[in-house]
Amino acid sequence: MKLICLGLKTENIITIMYKFKQKTYSEGDKRVFIDFICKLEGYKTRCKNLHWAAPKKNIHVYLDEFLDVISDYQDGLAEGYMGILGKMGPLDINGIGCNASNAMIFIEEVIEETKKFYGLIPEGTEFKGITSEAETFIQNCQKYHYLFGLCEVQ
């Protein structure tokens, strides 16, 4: 309201509001997210491979469920990243391999790497949703660590 009283046109108010919201981020900030999204892509492949190679039905089913958890988290993280840091390119995401040979080794690696990523998330208010989603993903991983432990995984 005060801006209009000063004689500013509506399009100038929109420009001022847009510039106020803009913030620049380093390539390092962006790389933290891209690298972890690439790890999640690799984890999806390993999870599916372990699912197909499962020795028993119960771990087979849990791995399939956990694949959905990883996929949903990766999608939300990627979209949150783009909402803050800008659109990623069509060649930015390439899965980083995971060599875990059973479900327990796999879930322990996912938990460890997610905790490392969590520690690298920038502190700004705009990243609080991503931080919260990472916490939820870690909690889901802990749940599946427990469930995988109830199964024969080798």
Side-chain angles (χ1 to χ4, degrees):
M1 186 73 165
K2 287 184 179 182
L3 293 174
I4 293 171
C5 293
L6 294 173
L8 293 175
K9 296 180 182 174
T10 304
E11 60 270 8
N12 292 341
I13 294 170
I14 292 170
T15 301
I16 290 168
M17 290 172 62
Y18 177 72
K19 287 186 178 181
F20 177 73
K21 288 186 174 187
Q22 281 182 332
K23 184 174 180 182
T24 56
Y25 297 95
S26 71
E27 283 304 310
D29 288 335
K30 294 177 181 182
R31 197 77 244 158
V32 164
F33 290 94
I34 295 292
D35 288 349
F36 189 64
I37 292 167
C38 288
K39 282 184 184 182
L40 291 169
E41 189 65 26
Y43 290 150
K44 290 186 331 188
T45 301
R46 176 57 54 210
C47 191
K48 197 62 174 177
N49 187 212
L50 290 170
H51 161 81
W52 290 323
K56 300 282 183 178
K57 183 178 180 182
N58 55 4
I59 192 66
H60 175 88
V61 171
Y62 285 144
L63 283 162
D64 208 29
E65 289 175 9
F66 188 59
L67 178 60
D68 290 339
V69 171
I70 296 171
S71 294
D72 290 346
Y73 174 63
Q74 182 193 35
D75 189 53
L77 176 60
E79 290 171 354
Y81 160 93
M82 290 186 289
I84 299 166
L85 298 165
K87 194 164 176 70
M88 62 180 78
L91 301 177
D92 286 351
I93 305 304
N94 297 292
I96 296 173
C98 168
N99 294 317
S101 59
N102 70 51
M104 288 305 287
I105 294 169
F106 170 67
I107 194 75
E108 288 167 2
E109 180 178 326
V110 172
I111 292 168
E112 187 62 32
E113 291 300 314
T114 304
K115 287 179 179 179
K116 288 179 189 175
F117 167 70
Y118 180 80
L120 297 173
I121 299 171
E123 292 292 322
T125 303
E126 61 273 21
F127 294 100
K128 294 304 181 196
I130 287 175
T131 302
S132 176
E133 291 295 324
E135 292 167 348
T136 300
F137 182 64
I138 291 168
Q139 179 184 11
N140 283 327
C141 290
Q142 296 290 0
K143 170 187 154 185
Y144 279 93
H145 184 273
Y146 167 73
L147 293 173
F148 291 0
L150 297 175
C151 303
E152 185 178 321
V153 297
Q154 296 197 10

